[in-house]
Amino acid sequence: MSFKIPFFAIPALVLFGCGSATEETTNEVKIIGQMKDVMWKGQLHGTIQLDTIATKKHLFGLGPVAHLSGEIIIVDGKAYKSTVLTDSTMTVEATYAVEAPFFGYAHIPKWNKANLPDSVQTMQQLEVYLDKITKNSPRPFMFKLFGTVETAKIHIVNLPKGAKVSSPDEAHQGLVHYSVNNESSEIIGFFSTEHQTIFTHHDTYLHMHLLTADKQKMGHLDDVVFKKGAMELYLPKE
């Protein structure tokens, strides 16, 4: 199956500060705070409380926990927080009682679904593919993937309490990596060519979090090999 070029709502707003987050235009991505302020300025406090997002229906989002103490994903209105237990174990909790120093979210009621091509197996290939099929569409946008990952590496930020941050290296103190192998998973992602250091790292247009189907593992996606013929790609439908 091939995509028609999807159409999305108006580009994201970059907002700062706390307060109630009200529902915006369908499919519009909202970004609260900035990654670079956390990584370089040490602004670790929460700039959004997830429970202040007024409408949870059809809500999708991702970001880190305040003070870089975990990861967050929202999948169709259900929010999950992951935190480090040990170098090999984590806890994944369903909750909206969490704050984030920067966060992206959108309300997406309908999706266009297609099989991910077998030629797209890695994050780098996915980035190129998404860039190609959305050249004439408004950006940024959120997307999701569902299916089996052959292998994946995810991480959870785990900054020691009281630690100061003035660089990405310092921000990643305590970070723990976990492996995912041949597991059914859902990935919530963000794509933009204009948000490097704001909501994506400086060398990518993607920011993605992965949640396994059994809800036992969740974290920021660092590396992945998608199983051929086993992954579906969803893009917002107008």
Side-chain angles (χ1 to χ4, degrees), residues 56-126:
K56 310 297 194 295
K57 189 176 182 180
H58 304 310
L59 182 63
F60 296 83
L62 66 160
V65 178
H67 304 286
L68 301 182
S69 58
E71 304 288 346
I72 304 166
I73 192 172
I74 302 178
V75 181
D76 200 12
K78 296 181 180 180
Y80 300 90
K81 176 183 74 171
S82 63
T83 51
V84 171
L85 287 179
T86 70
D87 286 347
S88 59
T89 61
M90 67 174 73
T91 179
V92 179
E93 174 188 5
T95 180
Y96 268 95
V98 61
E99 298 182 3
F102 62 92
F103 197 75
Y105 68 93
H107 293 88
I108 307 174
K110 296 180 180 180
W111 299 87
N112 286 316
K113 180 180 77 170
N115 293 328
L116 191 68
D118 286 350
S119 59
V120 180
Q121 279 195 283
T122 68
M123 290 178 63
Q124 293 77 17
Q125 291 168 344
L126 178 65

Side-chain angles (χ1 to χ4, degrees), residues 25-225:
T25 305
T26 296
N27 299 340
E28 177 193 13
V29 180
K30 291 192 69 177
I31 297 173
I32 310 297
Q34 299 189 96
M35 180 184 291
K36 61 185 179 182
D37 290 339
V38 176
M39 299 293 184
W40 293 102
K41 298 180 180 179
Q43 296 179 6
L44 307 175
H45 60 278
T47 59
I48 180 173
Q49 297 176 346
L50 293 198
D51 57 10
T52 66
I53 300 175
T55 302
K56 310 297 194 295
K57 189 176 182 180
H58 304 310
L59 182 63
F60 296 83
L62 66 160
V65 178
H67 304 286
L68 301 182
S69 58
E71 304 288 346
I72 304 166
I73 192 172
I74 302 178
V75 181
D76 200 12
K78 296 181 180 180
Y80 300 90
K81 176 183 74 171
S82 63
T83 51
V84 171
L85 287 179
T86 70
D87 286 347
S88 59
T89 61
M90 67 174 73
T91 179
V92 179
E93 174 188 5
T95 180
Y96 268 95
V98 61
E99 298 182 3
F102 62 92
F103 197 75
Y105 68 93
H107 293 88
I108 307 174
K110 296 180 180 180
W111 299 87
N112 286 316
K113 180 180 77 170
N115 293 328
L116 191 68
D118 286 350
S119 59
V120 180
Q121 279 195 283
T122 68
M123 290 178 63
Q124 293 77 17
Q125 291 168 344
L126 178 65
E127 180 175 281
V128 171
Y129 180 67
L130 288 175
D131 191 29
K132 179 181 178 181
I133 67 173
T134 64
K135 279 290 188 187
N136 299 316
S137 303
R139 297 170 172 177
F141 60 88
M142 297 194 76
F143 63 93
K144 66 177 181 176
L145 291 155
F146 182 79
T148 302
V149 295
E150 208 165 278
T151 62
K153 183 170 73 173
I154 61 176
H155 77 242
I156 298 177
V157 286
N158 186 40
L159 192 69
K161 289 184 178 180
K164 303 296 182 182
V165 169
S166 60
S167 71
D169 285 344
E170 291 179 352
H172 293 148
Q173 296 173 75
L175 178 150
V176 178
H177 287 103
Y178 299 88
S179 295
V180 178
N181 297 293
N182 290 310
E183 291 197 49
S184 178
S185 303
E186 188 154 11
I187 295 166
I188 303 301
F190 168 89
F191 178 94
S192 175
T193 59
E194 305 295 330
H195 287 78
Q196 289 175 315
T197 75
I198 296 173
F199 199 66
T200 72
H201 289 293
H202 71 281
D203 57 353
T204 181
Y205 299 149
L206 296 173
H207 185 165
M208 299 188 286
H209 285 194
L210 178 150
L211 174 68
T212 56
D214 62 8
K215 310 296 190 294
Q216 296 301 301
K217 295 179 181 178
M218 188 273 283
H220 179 105
L221 186 62
D222 292 316
D223 197 15
V224 68
V225 175

